Amino acid sequence: MDPITQQQILGAASGAAEEVTIDDVFSTTLYEGTGSASTITNGIDLAGEGGLVWIKERDSTESHNLFDTERGATKYLKSDTQDQEYTANSSLSAFNSDGFSHSGGGGSTNQSGKNYVAWTFRKAPKFFDVVTYTGNGVAGRTVAHNLGSVPGVVIVKAVSR
């Protein structure tokens, strides 16, 4: 049986799948920092599906902060530095079924009176995935993912040295 026919049979046998829209997997949220515990509700299921929250303070040149469900809410990367991952006690505290939560003052993600943008990406086939792996110095290495398609963009960041 050729792969296309097999895929069509399997698709039909699984029943009607609920259509996933961009609103189910991506959100841009503007918010003002509170300096205390707070929740950002954006409709993205990070607790059940996994993904990434990319936060940037809009009032200054503070670094971009990236939090992913693979490493946990208290670990983050700065996209504009060569630094390894950071661990913070006063930053994100949880990935929720409808967004994410801050634990407190939040350094550069929740300072009182500061304006922020959060881009949230939920893991989904043919859209987005977060993968961790240990490098081995081999050129041309293949890294497995769950996209089910050829990635359009791959971003790699070292989390340790």
Side-chain angles (χ1 to χ4, degrees), residues 15-21 24:
E18 190 174 315
E19 182 179 335
V20 176
T21 67
D24 297 323

Side-chain angles (χ1 to χ4, degrees), residues 21-51:
T21 67
I22 193 68
D23 292 335
D24 297 323
V25 296
F26 177 75
S27 171
T28 300
T29 305
L30 302 178
Y31 66 95
E32 184 175 334
T34 64
S36 60
S38 62
T39 298
I40 303 298
T41 303
N42 60 19
I44 305 298
D45 181 6
L46 295 168
E49 300 292 336

